[in-house]
Amino acid sequence: MNTAQRTRTLRAAQAIEGGRNARKDVARTAAIDSQLHRIAPGTAEIRTVPATLDDQQCTRVLLLNDLAQQLIPTPDARAAALRILRHFFPGADWTVPQRYDVRAGHLTADEPTAPVELGIDTAEGARQ
């Protein structure tokens, strides 16, 4: 007996949903890029680091260019860049260092790593 209950998601529906999500990601990346360009032209990467200053929690913001050189924006520009990231990524954990790549539109946890040549990283995938 055939039932009207759907047991699996159709591939076409998955493809349509994937396309919609991709367009949203592209639009979000373009919006962040244009706003950052107005705040601090030449920004290619943003790094945030949670810190404690005078017993109060704060977040340090570094704006870097394509050569990984730190831009010297005003404190208002750094605060605006952080507000933009927090607006577009409300679910991110801001209690850990974060790294945002402006071109790719990816926000990732900024974990310290050692160069593979030193051989001090214990991860199997890092060894050659």
Side-chain angles (χ1 to χ4, degrees):
M1 177 173 158
N2 291 339
T3 62
Q5 182 181 7
R6 204 170 68 183
T7 57
R8 65 180 175 91
T9 305
L10 300 176
R11 287 186 188 180
Q14 290 174 339
I16 291 170
E17 186 65 26
R20 284 182 185 150
N21 291 338
R23 284 190 293 278
K24 286 179 187 177
D25 288 345
V26 168
R28 181 191 67 218
T29 300
I32 293 172
D33 185 30
S34 92
Q35 290 179 16
L36 287 174
H37 182 68
R38 288 186 203 130
I39 294 169
T43 302
E45 184 177 304
I46 300 175
R47 290 186 173 205
T48 65
V49 180
T52 303
L53 183 63
D54 296 330
D55 294 328
Q56 289 190 340
Q57 295 290 342
C58 64
T59 302
R60 302 287 298 160
V61 178
L62 300 172
L63 303 175
L64 306 173
N65 65 10
D66 288 329
L67 301 174
Q69 297 169 333
Q70 185 176 349
L71 301 174
I72 311 296
T74 64
D76 291 337
R78 289 192 300 267
L82 181 60
R83 278 193 306 271
I84 289 169
L85 291 180
R86 285 186 172 170
H87 172 76
F88 282 102
F89 298 99
D93 182 9
W94 297 104
T95 61
V96 298
Q98 298 286 343
R99 178 181 180 193
Y100 179 73
D101 184 353
V102 175
R103 287 196 180 87
H106 296 275
L107 181 72
T108 57
D110 194 14
E111 299 173 354
T113 57
V116 175
E117 294 81 24
L118 294 178
I120 59 174
D121 194 350
T122 59
E124 287 294 324
R127 296 186 193 141
Q128 292 181 345

